[in-house]
Short mmCIF file of all heavy atoms in Angstrom, two decimals:
data_model
loop_
_atom_site.label_atom_id
_atom_site.label_comp_id
_atom_site.label_asym_id
_atom_site.label_seq_id
_atom_site.Cartn_x
_atom_site.Cartn_y
_atom_site.Cartn_z
N ARG A 8 41.58 33.89 21.12
CA ARG A 8 41.19 34.10 19.72
C ARG A 8 40.91 35.57 19.43
O ARG A 8 41.20 36.08 18.34
CB ARG A 8 39.95 33.25 19.42
CG ARG A 8 39.53 33.26 17.96
CD ARG A 8 38.38 32.28 17.75
NE ARG A 8 37.21 32.66 18.52
CZ ARG A 8 36.38 31.80 19.10
NH1 ARG A 8 36.59 30.51 19.02
NH2 ARG A 8 35.33 32.24 19.77
N GLY A 9 40.30 36.27 20.40
CA GLY A 9 40.01 37.69 20.22
C GLY A 9 38.74 37.99 19.45
O GLY A 9 38.48 39.15 19.12
N VAL A 10 37.94 37.00 19.15
CA VAL A 10 36.68 37.14 18.44
C VAL A 10 35.63 36.34 19.18
O VAL A 10 35.88 35.20 19.60
CB VAL A 10 36.78 36.66 16.97
CG1 VAL A 10 35.43 36.76 16.28
CG2 VAL A 10 37.83 37.45 16.21
N GLY A 11 34.41 36.93 19.35
CA GLY A 11 33.39 36.21 20.08
C GLY A 11 31.99 36.60 19.67
O GLY A 11 31.75 37.73 19.22
N SER A 12 31.06 35.68 19.85
CA SER A 12 29.63 35.96 19.68
C SER A 12 29.11 36.59 20.96
O SER A 12 29.84 36.75 21.95
CB SER A 12 28.88 34.66 19.39
OG SER A 12 28.97 33.78 20.50
N CYS A 13 27.82 36.93 20.97
CA CYS A 13 27.25 37.53 22.18
C CYS A 13 27.39 36.57 23.37
O CYS A 13 27.70 36.99 24.48
CB CYS A 13 25.79 37.93 21.97
SG CYS A 13 24.64 36.56 21.70
N GLY A 14 27.18 35.27 23.11
CA GLY A 14 27.31 34.29 24.19
C GLY A 14 28.73 34.16 24.69
O GLY A 14 28.97 33.92 25.88
N GLU A 15 29.71 34.35 23.80
CA GLU A 15 31.11 34.26 24.20
C GLU A 15 31.58 35.53 24.91
O GLU A 15 32.38 35.46 25.86
CB GLU A 15 31.96 33.95 22.98
CG GLU A 15 31.71 32.52 22.47
CD GLU A 15 32.38 32.23 21.14
OE1 GLU A 15 32.49 33.17 20.32
OE2 GLU A 15 32.77 31.07 20.92
N TYR A 16 31.10 36.69 24.47
CA TYR A 16 31.32 37.91 25.26
C TYR A 16 30.79 37.70 26.67
O TYR A 16 31.44 38.03 27.66
CB TYR A 16 30.57 39.08 24.62
CG TYR A 16 31.34 39.91 23.63
CD1 TYR A 16 31.54 39.47 22.33
CD2 TYR A 16 31.84 41.17 23.97
CE1 TYR A 16 32.22 40.26 21.40
CE2 TYR A 16 32.51 41.97 23.04
CZ TYR A 16 32.70 41.49 21.76
OH TYR A 16 33.37 42.27 20.84
N LEU A 17 29.56 37.17 26.74
CA LEU A 17 28.92 36.97 28.03
C LEU A 17 29.73 36.03 28.92
O LEU A 17 29.92 36.29 30.11
CB LEU A 17 27.50 36.43 27.83
CG LEU A 17 26.75 36.05 29.09
CD1 LEU A 17 26.52 37.26 29.98
CD2 LEU A 17 25.41 35.40 28.75
N GLY A 18 30.20 34.92 28.36
CA GLY A 18 30.98 33.98 29.16
C GLY A 18 32.21 34.62 29.76
O GLY A 18 32.54 34.40 30.94
N LEU A 19 32.91 35.44 28.98
CA LEU A 19 34.10 36.12 29.50
C LEU A 19 33.73 37.15 30.55
O LEU A 19 34.40 37.27 31.59
CB LEU A 19 34.86 36.77 28.34
CG LEU A 19 36.19 37.44 28.68
CD1 LEU A 19 37.12 36.48 29.39
CD2 LEU A 19 36.85 37.98 27.41
N LEU A 20 32.64 37.89 30.34
CA LEU A 20 32.19 38.86 31.35
C LEU A 20 31.83 38.16 32.65
O LEU A 20 32.20 38.62 33.75
CB LEU A 20 30.97 39.62 30.82
CG LEU A 20 31.23 40.65 29.71
CD1 LEU A 20 29.92 41.08 29.07
CD2 LEU A 20 31.95 41.88 30.27
N LEU A 21 31.11 37.04 32.55
CA LEU A 21 30.73 36.29 33.76
C LEU A 21 31.97 35.81 34.52
O LEU A 21 32.05 35.96 35.75
CB LEU A 21 29.86 35.09 33.38
CG LEU A 21 28.45 35.38 32.87
CD1 LEU A 21 27.81 34.10 32.33
CD2 LEU A 21 27.56 35.97 33.97
N ALA A 22 32.92 35.26 33.80
CA ALA A 22 34.11 34.72 34.45
C ALA A 22 34.89 35.81 35.18
O ALA A 22 35.29 35.65 36.35
CB ALA A 22 34.99 34.02 33.42
N LEU A 23 35.11 36.94 34.51
CA LEU A 23 35.92 38.01 35.12
C LEU A 23 35.20 38.67 36.28
O LEU A 23 35.82 39.04 37.28
CB LEU A 23 36.29 39.05 34.06
CG LEU A 23 37.07 38.54 32.83
CD1 LEU A 23 37.55 39.71 31.99
CD2 LEU A 23 38.24 37.66 33.25
N CYS A 24 33.87 38.82 36.15
CA CYS A 24 33.12 39.41 37.26
C CYS A 24 33.13 38.48 38.48
O CYS A 24 33.38 38.92 39.61
CB CYS A 24 31.68 39.68 36.83
SG CYS A 24 31.47 41.17 35.82
N ARG A 25 32.87 37.22 38.27
CA ARG A 25 32.80 36.29 39.41
C ARG A 25 34.14 36.16 40.11
O ARG A 25 34.20 36.07 41.35
CB ARG A 25 32.29 34.94 38.92
CG ARG A 25 30.82 34.99 38.53
CD ARG A 25 30.27 33.65 38.06
NE ARG A 25 28.86 33.76 37.71
CZ ARG A 25 28.09 32.75 37.34
NH1 ARG A 25 28.61 31.54 37.24
NH2 ARG A 25 26.81 32.95 37.06
N LEU A 26 35.23 36.16 39.35
CA LEU A 26 36.54 36.09 39.98
C LEU A 26 36.86 37.34 40.78
O LEU A 26 37.73 37.32 41.66
CB LEU A 26 37.62 35.87 38.92
CG LEU A 26 37.71 34.43 38.38
CD1 LEU A 26 38.62 34.36 37.16
CD2 LEU A 26 38.20 33.47 39.46
N ASN A 27 36.14 38.43 40.49
CA ASN A 27 36.32 39.67 41.25
C ASN A 27 35.24 39.87 42.30
O ASN A 27 35.04 40.99 42.80
CB ASN A 27 36.35 40.87 40.30
CG ASN A 27 37.72 41.06 39.66
OD1 ASN A 27 38.67 41.49 40.32
ND2 ASN A 27 37.83 40.72 38.37
N GLY A 28 34.52 38.80 42.64
CA GLY A 28 33.55 38.87 43.72
C GLY A 28 32.25 39.56 43.35
O GLY A 28 31.51 40.00 44.25
N ILE A 29 31.95 39.64 42.07
CA ILE A 29 30.73 40.30 41.61
C ILE A 29 29.72 39.25 41.18
O ILE A 29 29.95 38.53 40.20
CB ILE A 29 31.03 41.26 40.44
CG1 ILE A 29 32.07 42.31 40.86
CG2 ILE A 29 29.75 41.94 39.96
CD1 ILE A 29 32.72 43.02 39.69
N ALA A 30 28.63 39.13 41.90
CA ALA A 30 27.60 38.16 41.56
C ALA A 30 26.95 38.54 40.22
O ALA A 30 26.62 39.71 40.00
CB ALA A 30 26.54 38.09 42.65
N CYS A 31 26.79 37.57 39.34
CA CYS A 31 26.22 37.86 38.02
C CYS A 31 25.58 36.60 37.45
O CYS A 31 25.85 35.48 37.90
CB CYS A 31 27.29 38.40 37.07
SG CYS A 31 28.78 37.40 36.97
N ARG A 32 24.72 36.80 36.47
CA ARG A 32 23.99 35.68 35.88
C ARG A 32 23.63 35.99 34.43
O ARG A 32 23.65 37.15 34.00
CB ARG A 32 22.73 35.38 36.68
CG ARG A 32 21.69 36.49 36.67
CD ARG A 32 20.52 36.16 37.57
NE ARG A 32 19.49 37.22 37.54
CZ ARG A 32 18.41 37.23 38.31
NH1 ARG A 32 18.20 36.26 39.18
NH2 ARG A 32 17.53 38.23 38.21
N THR A 33 23.27 34.94 33.70
CA THR A 33 22.86 35.05 32.31
C THR A 33 21.37 35.34 32.22
O THR A 33 20.57 34.79 32.97
CB THR A 33 23.16 33.74 31.56
OG1 THR A 33 24.56 33.46 31.63
CG2 THR A 33 22.73 33.82 30.10
N VAL A 34 21.01 36.22 31.28
CA VAL A 34 19.61 36.52 30.99
C VAL A 34 19.43 36.48 29.47
O VAL A 34 20.35 36.79 28.72
CB VAL A 34 19.19 37.90 31.54
CG1 VAL A 34 17.71 38.17 31.29
CG2 VAL A 34 19.48 37.99 33.04
#
């Protein structure tokens, strides 16, 4: 879609980081 809320930005950041071996979490 190319449009996101803060939670949707966060979801994409979490997914890409974890797939690259970077531990991350929501705050």
